[in-house]
Structures are given as structure tokens and as C-alpha cells.
Amino acid sequence: MAVTEASLLRQCPLLLPQNRSKTVYEGFISAQGRDFHLRIVLPEDLQLKNARLLCSWQLRTILSGYHRIVQQRMQHSPDLMSFMMELKMLLLKIFCRELLISCLVNLRYSLYWRDWEVALKNRQELYALPPPPQFYSSLIEEIGTLGWDKLVYADTCFSTIKLKAEDASGREHLITLKLKAKSSLISIYSQFLAAIESLKAFWDVMDEIDEKTWVLEPEKPPRSAAARRIALGNNVSINIEVDPRHPTMLPECFFLGADHVVKPLGIKLSRNIHLWDPENSVLQNLKDVLEIDFPARAILEKSDFTMDCGICYAYQLDGTIPDQVCDNSQCGQPFHQICLYEWLRGLLTSRQSFNIIFGECPYCSKPITLKMSGRKH
């Protein structure tokens, strides 16, 4: 206990106990050079899962939309020290995400400059005079400088063209440009290459996950997809979301499956989070932290993890796959969330409290709980 308190004081020197029993802590948490006021009230047994977190309005605003994640961290953290470190990391990710959005907005405007347009937006542009002959001769010269092998498509007026580029890992990328007079094709293409190079590490991480694990969702992930649902075994998976600007940092993650299977994984994640090494790949870190080996693609087939819904008898339903599992270890039947919702709603013995429905499993009749999320219903 003394070691934990010393670590807490070292990591959060502005957060101090307010009573002798140390059930109330108040002070500040620091992140990105900013201090945020908070107060943590612990029960007498000092268990984090029953604690209350009171925040200043600034911190509450920043964590808006992350309440479920904060509550999850608090449920799984073994002590206050671990929770504060997780909260610091969450704040860092939020700030990084805001920075990424800002960078992407600036990148978008830099790529399309004032001389570039995605489409004609008004009548004046619709009836504008065609560019002078010098525009076409200059454009042909610039394409020649870039290399005609980079040109994928050009319409008859050279107002829309598509160019391709390869990153250092050999991945091919396309950019579509709508041209106007005074455009600098070489400058735009250079910015395109810089944007590709800045995301190389992110794509390397995602490619390793796609090549070495069984990804359940999305089925055919585009380059822009930062989330993956990865099979860990029968009816158990982990959903991760990688930060494109910091791809080797600990991603947002949560487990899907029966409680008796996912709870031990959550405990391992909290216990071993200090082992996460940004110098290693995300996949290797997940193996080390969760103390598991991912099912090998060379040995197993995807069908080994893709059980049909026990209600509609289908795997895919409106683009979703079964993500609810009966907690009974003798059953373990998976269901689509919406299928289970409709089933439980039709039972007279079911009861609902806010967005949580309590009822019986359609297969084994043991108690089953469904927490509905707004995005799927």
C-alpha cells in the first residue's frame, strides 16, 4: 500500500487525500501542460468500481462522449494509481485526436488550395470561359515531369485527373483532382506524397493486424478505417481503434463475449498495461499485455470464429455480425444485438431498466442481460 501511495504521489503530486482514511482525494490532474480539477470519493473498502468521480466543468467537457470508457477504466483498475494513469492516457489520446482532426482539416485545405475545386458550385463557374492554351501546355509539361505512369485517368477537357503514388511499403494510393487555371500540379502532388508518408506507420500497423489475425469487422477495411474487431477465440473478440498519428500507442479497446471469458482479459489488460512498449508493434504489445496468442491464419479458418446468430440463423445482418453472447459457459450462443432485443422484448418475463434488458437466453433459458447501444438500434 505504501508503495502504491508513493507512486501515486510521484505521478500525481497535485492529487492529495482529504481525510485520514484516504477515501476522498482532491486536487488536479495534469495533461498536455494543463491542470484539471477533480475529486474522487472512494467507498470504505477503497474499491474503484464503486467510486465517484467529480470533475470541473472544463474536464467534464473534454470527457464528454467518453463517460463509458472512463467508467470501464474505473471498473477494471485495481487501485487509484492505475486509474489515474489510465485517465492521463485517455486525456492524452483525446488531445491527440483533436490535433489530428485539426491537421486533417488543414491538410484538406492545403491539398485543394483556392485554385482547386471539387465541383462547380454556382452558375458563374458553370459558364466560365475555358482555360487558355498555356494552361494545357503547362499541365502536359507538369505531368511529364511527374511521369506519365503516375496518370491513371484524365477526362477529355483535362478538368479532372487521377494520379497514383506508392508509399515506402509499396502500397498504391489515388488522388482525384479537379483542375482550374493557375494550378500547380507538382506542388499538389508533393503535398499528397507528404500526407501519404505521414500515415505510413499507421498503415503498417493495420496491415500487420489484417495479415496475421482474423479480423471479423470490417470485412474489407478501407485505408481510412482505424478500427478492427479481432477474433481471440470462439465467441470472444477484441475491438481496437488505433490513433493514426500515434499508431503504436495503446489503442482504445474493449472486449466482446461472455463475461466469464472477457473479465479475465480485462484484468490482464489493467495489470499489464505498464508493459506496453511503443517501440513494438500493436500486435506484439497486445500479445504481451493480454498474455495470449492470436489464432493463426495459417492453421485456422475464419469460419472457426464466425458462428451464426442463434435467432435469425445468419452471420451478417444489415452489415453487423453477432456481438452478444450468452454468459452461461455451457451455452455460449451468440446473437445479433437487434435480434436478441426483439426476442427479449417479446417475452412476458423480461424487464427493462433504461437501456438494459434482463431476460432469458433463447437457447438455455439461463439469465441473459442486453445493454442496447444507440448506434445499433
Side-chain angles (χ1 to χ4, degrees):
M1 179 65 73
V3 175
T4 302
E5 291 177 3
S7 299
L8 178 63
L9 182 61
R10 184 169 59 254
Q11 295 295 334
C12 303
L14 301 180
L15 184 69
L16 300 174
Q18 302 298 302
N19 55 15
R20 290 186 177 181
S21 58
K22 297 184 179 179
T23 58
V24 179
Y25 282 78
E26 187 168 359
F28 297 85
I29 183 172
S30 302
Q32 292 293 92
R34 299 166 62 183
D35 295 329
F36 302 97
H37 182 263
L38 78 167
R39 180 182 177 90
I40 300 175
V41 181
L42 301 169
E44 292 183 0
D45 59 6
L46 303 181
Q47 293 296 310
L48 263 294
K49 62 182 180 181
N50 297 319
R52 287 190 300 137
L53 175 63
L54 307 175
C55 308
S56 64
W57 69 267
Q58 294 98 331
L59 184 57
R60 191 162 57 247
T61 301
I62 293 172
L63 293 176
S64 176
Y66 295 86
H67 294 159
R68 182 180 63 81
I69 296 175
V70 173
Q71 189 173 18
Q72 184 185 57
R73 296 290 195 268
M74 190 176 288
Q75 288 286 329
H76 295 295
S77 295
D79 50 50
L80 182 58
M81 168 63 188
S82 299
F83 172 68
M84 292 303 296
M85 293 304 297
E86 296 238 23
L87 185 59
K88 273 192 172 185
M89 187 169 292
L90 177 61
L91 287 172
L92 179 60
K93 289 182 180 179
I94 294 173
F95 291 140
C96 289
R97 183 169 296 179
E98 291 176 351
L99 179 60
L100 172 61
I101 293 173
S102 176
C103 290
L104 289 176
V105 169
N106 292 334
L107 176 62
R108 177 184 175 186
Y109 282 101
S110 65
L111 283 175
Y112 289 97
W113 284 13
R114 60 187 178 87
D115 294 323
W116 294 81
E117 299 235 354
V118 175
L120 297 175
K121 295 182 180 179
N122 52 49
R123 289 176 58 88
Q124 182 180 0
E125 291 177 336
L126 185 62
Y127 293 102
L129 294 174
Q134 294 86 346
F135 165 75
Y136 296 103
S137 59
S138 175
L139 181 60
I140 296 299
E141 182 179 345
E142 286 192 296
I143 294 176
T145 301
L146 292 175
W148 284 94
D149 59 317
K150 304 293 193 303
L151 182 65
V152 177
Y153 165 83
D155 63 5
T156 55
C157 300
F158 272 87
S159 61
T160 301
I161 67 172
K162 290 183 180 180
L163 299 174
K164 67 180 181 180
E166 281 192 359
D167 60 25
S169 297
R171 289 176 289 254
E172 187 174 285
H173 306 272
L174 298 177
I175 183 172
T176 301
L177 302 172
K178 292 189 176 294
L179 306 179
K180 293 180 66 177
K182 300 180 182 178
S183 298
S184 174
L185 190 60
I186 292 178
S187 175
I188 297 297
Y189 191 75
S190 297
Q191 294 179 57
F192 178 48
L193 291 178
I196 290 174
E197 191 59 30
S198 69
L199 293 170
K200 175 187 175 298
F202 166 67
W203 287 322
D204 287 343
V205 166
M206 306 313 289
D207 280 354
E208 183 187 23
I209 293 173
D210 293 338
E211 292 167 5
K212 296 183 179 180
T213 69
W214 281 115
V215 175
L216 303 180
E217 290 183 295
E219 188 171 359
K220 295 180 180 179
R223 286 291 173 204
S224 58
R228 296 289 191 275
R229 179 179 171 187
I230 307 170
L232 300 180
N234 289 330
N235 299 327
V236 59
S237 57
I238 181 173
N239 196 92
I240 66 170
E241 185 170 348
V242 179
D243 185 342
R245 292 294 172 182
H246 303 86
T248 59
M249 286 181 58
L250 177 66
E252 293 291 340
C253 57
F254 60 90
F255 300 99
L256 294 165
D259 283 348
H260 70 277
V261 179
V262 302
K263 279 186 177 179
L265 293 172
I267 292 173
K268 289 180 181 178
L269 179 62
S270 298
R271 185 179 64 207
N272 298 331
I273 195 172
H274 65 281
L275 299 176
W276 193 276
D277 184 359
E279 297 298 320
N280 294 334
S281 68
V282 168
L283 196 58
Q284 185 58 51
N285 274 312
L286 286 174
K287 290 180 181 180
D288 295 340
V289 170
L290 298 179
E291 301 175 6
I292 61 169
D293 285 320
F294 289 90
R297 294 178 66 95
I299 301 174
L300 301 172
E301 297 293 332
K302 189 174 183 179
S303 57
D304 295 328
F305 313 104
T306 55
M307 290 184 63
D308 294 341
C309 172
I311 296 175
C312 72
Y313 301 108
Y315 180 64
Q316 289 274 356
L317 179 64
D318 295 332
T320 64
I321 65 177
D323 59 357
Q324 306 295 315
V325 181
C326 176
D327 288 334
N328 180 9
S329 59
Q330 303 299 318
C331 176
Q333 178 64 43
F335 307 98
H336 292 114
Q337 185 183 93
I338 188 62
C339 292
L340 186 57
Y341 171 77
E342 294 296 341
W343 172 274
L344 294 177
R345 195 173 65 166
L347 295 180
L348 295 177
T349 55
S350 297
R351 59 187 180 87
Q352 182 169 352
S353 176
F354 297 100
N355 65 329
I356 301 177
I357 304 177
F358 305 89
E360 296 179 353
C361 172
Y363 268 63
C364 66
S365 298
K366 296 295 184 180
I368 192 170
T369 302
L370 171 65
K371 184 175 183 179
M372 290 297 298
S373 59
R375 66 182 180 89
K376 293 190 177 181
H377 179 69

